[in-house]
Amino acid sequence: QPATTLRAGAVVLLGLLRDRGYLHWGLELNPVMAAQARDAGHAVLEGSLEDEAPPAGLPSPFSLVLMNHVIEHLRRPDLALRRIHGWLRPGGSLLLETPMSPDYRNIDHLYYFSAAALELLLTATGFTPVAWMDYVDDNYGHHNIACRAVRGA
C-alpha cells in the first residue's frame, strides 16, 4: 500500500513507513533535505504541494499521506488539501500535525489553526476528521494539534 510524507526531510517518518511495510514516497521542497533522504535510501521527489502539477513519478493513489508541520507554511492550505484529496484513494487517511499557537520567532508560519478551524477546512476539502490529539512539544514548547482525517468518496 503506497504512502507518502510531505516533508521528506523528516527521514525518520520515511523510515517508519518503510518499517511498517508501506511503499513509501516523500515530497520535499528543500533540495538538500531531499538529497539527504535519498542518500538514506528513500524515494523522494522534489517539489511543493503548491506546484500547479503533481511531481512526475508520484505513484498515487495513496492509502496514507503524512503532513507533519507543513500546512502552516502554505499560502493556500485549502488548495493543498484538495490536491491531497485527489492523491488519496477513497477511505485513505491523512495524518496532519500543526502548531496551534503562534511562535513569533518562526516567521515562515503563515497560519495557525484551532481545532474548530482545522475541522472546517478539512470538511470543506472532502475529509472527515476521525481522531484528534493535542500536546505540547517537549523540544520547542509548541502547543500542537494532530488529526487523522479520512478521504470521502
Side-chain angles (χ1 to χ4, degrees):
Q1 52 188 353
T4 190
T5 181
L6 301 175
R7 201 178 114 208
V11 176
V12 171
L13 291 175
L14 287 167
L16 289 171
L17 291 172
R18 180 191 54 216
D19 294 347
R20 283 162 178 73
Y22 283 94
L23 171 63
H24 63 289
W25 286 79
L27 179 63
E28 175 58 58
L29 180 62
N30 182 313
V32 173
M33 294 177 90
Q36 290 171 345
R38 283 192 295 270
D39 290 346
H42 302 292
V44 174
L45 301 172
E46 290 179 35
S48 169
L49 274 171
E50 296 183 302
D51 293 342
E52 286 292 318
L58 195 67
S60 63
F62 293 104
S63 56
L64 174 65
V65 172
L66 301 178
M67 192 177 193
N68 185 35
H69 289 269
V70 172
I71 197 167
E72 66 271 17
H73 297 273
L74 302 174
R75 290 182 300 270
R76 292 291 309 268
D78 58 327
L79 294 180
L81 288 173
R82 282 187 177 87
R83 186 162 287 141
I84 292 168
H85 185 275
W87 293 352
L88 276 168
R89 65 170 175 74
S93 290
L94 167 65
L95 300 180
L96 184 151
E97 181 179 342
T98 187
M100 287 180 68
S101 54
D103 174 1
Y104 298 106
R105 298 165 298 179
N106 199 337
I107 60 171
D108 62 342
H109 286 184
L110 304 178
Y111 293 96
Y112 294 95
F113 296 93
S114 66
L118 193 55
E119 182 173 16
L120 285 172
L121 180 60
L122 288 164
T123 302
T125 54
F127 291 95
T128 302
V130 295
W132 294 90
M133 180 180 85
D134 70 286
Y135 66 96
V136 175
D137 181 305
D138 289 336
N139 293 325
Y140 300 104
H142 295 155
H143 187 190
N144 296 313
I145 189 166
C147 178
R148 177 176 166 250
V150 176
R151 179 196 167 195

